Amino acid sequence: MERTLVIVKPDGVQRGLVGTIIGRLEARGLKIVGMKLMQIDRALAERHYAVHKGKPFYEGLLDYITSGPVVVAVLEGPGAIELVRQTMGATRPSAAQPGTIRADYAIDVGRNLVHGSDSPETARFEIGLFFREDELVSWQRDVDRWIYG
Ligand code: IDP
Ligand code: MG
């Protein structure tokens, strides 16, 4: 089993797409093991997006991710990291495949609705940034045997 961090970014919350975005990932078969509404402050944004420091879009990205409440979630499943990335679609919504969240609901790379960890190391780091161990819930779903063969 793998865990990954998902963020419904401020545009997703403002546009009323929390249920749609989390729902698509949930419907795919991923299990929610942590979730909360929060406001990301500058310090947390800088840590989360440290790899992008120095890039032309970095300051704008910090402004965007701190501009309003977000929903952060930890999703679990086999290959969860890649599944979430695939369901989100390409970073640039105009290049994302139809059927992905970013293609179906977004236009602009600066307002692309959703974040998903991009590797096991990143997932571990990001989950640790946003959740304490006691905020994550390990639980059994009866439906698991119909999702994982
Ligand atoms: P990802 O979210 O698909 O992993 P990254 O390359 O890690 O994409 O970039 C992080 C975030 O930075 C993107 O989701 C997007 O919000 C923002 N971003 C990336 N490139 C640009 C850009 O060229 N202009 C504005 N924002 C950008
Ligand atoms: Mg990324």
Side-chain angles (χ1 to χ4, degrees):
M1 280 305 157
E2 201 169 73
R3 288 180 173 185
T4 188
L5 184 85
V6 170
I7 306 176
V8 180
K9 295 178 176 180
D11 47 336
V13 175
Q14 294 284 348
R15 292 175 56 194
L17 292 172
V18 173
T20 300
I21 291 169
I22 298 295
R24 279 189 171 211
L25 298 167
E26 203 182 15
R28 186 123 196 222
L30 293 164
K31 186 194 292 184
I32 300 168
V33 297
M35 187 155 71
K36 61 189 173 186
L37 180 81
M38 64 178 289
Q39 175 92 34
I40 299 179
D41 66 21
R42 202 84 185 170
L44 179 57
E46 286 175 3
R47 293 179 72 193
H48 176 68
Y49 281 128
V51 293
H52 297 300
K53 194 172 164 68
K55 294 183 184 170
F57 59 85
Y58 177 69
E59 288 299 327
L61 177 57
L62 296 189
D63 289 343
Y64 165 44
I65 204 69
T66 59
S67 64
V70 297
V71 168
V72 288
V74 177
L75 299 186
E76 184 183 273
I81 294 166
E82 194 47 43
L83 282 177
V84 168
R85 297 286 300 182
Q86 186 191 54
T87 306
M88 286 191 326
T91 305
R92 205 165 283 282
S94 57
Q97 291 297 314
T100 63
I101 293 165
R102 284 164 166 173
D104 290 354
Y105 300 104
I107 294 173
D108 191 307
V109 68
R111 296 287 184 272
N112 64 0
L113 290 174
V114 62
H115 168 86
S117 308
D118 65 6
S119 72
E121 300 69 43
T122 313
R124 217 170 300 117
F125 171 73
E126 293 178 349
I127 291 168
L129 271 185
F130 285 91
F131 288 91
R132 295 190 316 266
E133 194 54 47
D134 69 358
E135 291 180 302
L136 300 176
V137 181
S138 295
W139 57 291
Q140 292 300 314
R141 282 187 313 198
D142 292 340
V143 77
D144 280 355
R145 69 194 176 100
W146 301 108
I147 299 174
Y148 320 132

